[in-house]
Amino acid sequence: MTSQAALKPVAAAVSERDMANAIRALAMDSVQEANSGHPGMPMGMADVATVLFSRFITIDPSTPDWPDRDRFVLSAGHGSMLQYAMHYLLGYKDMPVEELQRFRQLGSRTAGHPEFGHALGIETTTGPLGQGISTAVGMALAERMLAARHGADLVDHFTYVIAGDGCLQEGISHEAIDLAGHLKLSRLIVFWDDNAISIDGPTSLSTSMDQPARFKAAGWHVQSVDGHDTEAVAAAIEAAQQSDRPSLIACRTVIGKGAPNLGGSEKTHGAPLGDAEIAATRENIGWAYAPFEVPDDILFAWREIAERGQAARHAWEQRLAASPRRQAFESAIAGKLPDAVFEALGAFRKEHVEKATKVATRKASEMALGAINAATELTVGGSADLTHSNLTITKGMDRIAPDDYAGRYIHYGIREHGMAAAMNGIALHGGFVPYGGTFLCFADYARGAMRLSALMGQRVVYVMTHDSIGLGEDGPTHQPVEHLAMLRATPNLNVFRPADIIETAECWELALKSENRPSVLVLSRQNLPMLRQAHSDPAYSDENRSSQGAYILREPAGRRAVTLIATGSEVEIAVAAAERLETEHGIAAAVVSMPCWELFEEQDAGTRKAVLGSAPRIAIEAAARLGWDRWIGDTGAFVGMAGFGASAPAPDLYRHFDITPEAVAAAALKLII
Ligand SMILES: Cc1ncc(C[n+]2csc(CCOP(=O)(O)OP(=O)(O)O)c2C)c(N)n1
Ligand SMILES: [Mg+2]
């Protein structure tokens, strides 16, 4: 890599066309070298990206995580070479030219699609179309919220997005656009790569959408430009910056721009151009340099952008140093929750163990949130229009509204997927700990963004209530069955299903402490008894027992003959079954509450063995069996659901589906006698 110090401006003026052609050349050369990738989009959007970066964006590659930087999101993540080429040109220290030469290879920074945490300056993972633009909505909202708290002196930046036809066709974009327009997120500027091409061919094969009209209808400021006319693009960005609404700049472009024979064709979307077309492109755009060679004057022009950003960062640091908000701002950005949160949760557990409070775990979550939200301002709640079912709002939480971002509660609307993506954006932006609610069943709708929370290791807390047939009369459309298995199959995701108010508070604590992992709190609609030993009991302990994922809630009366493992609302059933087995059949049964498989899996083998025991095991969960064989082994049994639920009062459903203490006891007798 040419070092920054060695660069001297050799030509007085480097044109933006030259700067953009550097992107084009690097993109086509890297894709050719890898024999894999997407040259068309980087070549088509090279002019727009160059104008954005050379004249507008404020970033400092030497301090890529500086809090007041502009955010850049490549929503059309298949065009990753656009971002990698720019990172090399800008001088990011982890992006020497060798990384471009190892595009898409194992261990390189230049992964197939941009991945958060994989290379410096990548603000979010993209590739699943529509996620980037929707995550950016959360970033732009977080920017406004943080500015409302700490002032424009410390927080004053834009979120820029490049989105393709695919991003705008995806359903999630509709949720995101609607929310951003409603909230008047004026610092959000989206460039639409309007090339009218996607993989199958012209977009006219599958859409007649008037995208500008769609954005206008959602309350956006909309402009349309020729994406290769740099002055027009610059003028549009200036106007967008002045708007009091989010902005769409529809950029009419040619995919693979510069390639004389393939430009404009879907053939440039996702395949190397080939040696002949690359040579012809070099000729066509007047790029006389060898593969991966960028002349110093062009590199210098790109690196001036970095210098401009560095100066802005220094000025910001001085403002921060002099600001009375400094401490509060820094601790918000660090995401450190005060000890008071955990002290409050400890006191909460003591109080409710004493009172043996019997509430639905969704209610317990609301009560725990009351303690949490009173002890910190970092948490930001919300729900996808189920606030009073999910019980996600607590006393004194003002709502976020258009032009009023000082509150802490977001009405995400009926947009589960958009909510999840926005929460990713809020978490990635920094300054807040987002949580948001919906029914567990609609985790399906949120799934695409939940997966990215896990992949990116973001502390996002999903409050998912109405977690089983226990929700009753709403019936099988609303009763999750397979969702726990799906969530548990997702790597790097805590799935908590607490059994009572104490476990609920414990799981909240664990979720908040999981700084690099999202959590799902799976909560009941129906009331559940407090199952933990009372304070007065000699066996009482104030340790967070959920922290090891599973623990023996009820010791057997003698040598363990059977172990009943349950989660959430079925732990109560397991306890009743154990009592029945002991009193009626003289069978010593242990009850294991297993609120979090993932944390239990992380325990050492000895701890797991001590909890699970060597007696036959029965798992009880009002959900699909998939995955439970891991815990019950070959000789175990499962009491739960084998198909969809039904519409009826919850007690009738538990009887109908045979998820009862009697059924568990019968299964135990069958196993051990
Ligand atoms: C959710 C999702 N569905 C499908 C894909 C596969 N895919 C990648 S790019 C693409 C076409 C995108 O078209 P467009 O955004 O217009 O990109 P362009 O061809 O203009 O570069 C598709 C279908 C994906 N990455 N994400
Ligand atoms: Mg396209």
Side-chain angles (χ1 to χ4, degrees), residues 41 76 78 127-129 164-167 170 193 195 197-199 255 269:
M41 183 270 179
H78 57 278
L129 297 169
D165 300 301
C167 292
E170 288 291 349
D193 178 15
N195 61 18
I197 287 286
S198 63
I199 292 180
I255 192 169
H269 164 89

Side-chain angles (χ1 to χ4, degrees), residues 44 46 60 68 121 169 171 240 279 314 360 457 461 560 627 649:
D60 178 5
D68 200 32
Q169 285 184 19
H314 284 312
V461 185
R560 225 201 273 201

Side-chain angles (χ1 to χ4, degrees), residues 314-326:
H314 284 312
W316 177 85
E317 279 170 352
Q318 280 168 8
R319 293 200 297 279
L320 179 67
S323 170
R325 300 284 314 164
R326 178 182 178 158

Side-chain angles (χ1 to χ4, degrees), residues 12 14 77 193-194 204 233 307 321 412 417 495 507 509 539 541 621 624 660:
V14 168
D193 178 15
D194 177 16
S204 60
V233 171
E307 277 170 31
Y412 286 104
H417 203 181
V495 183
C507 293
E509 178 177 316
S541 154
E621 185 167 71
T660 59

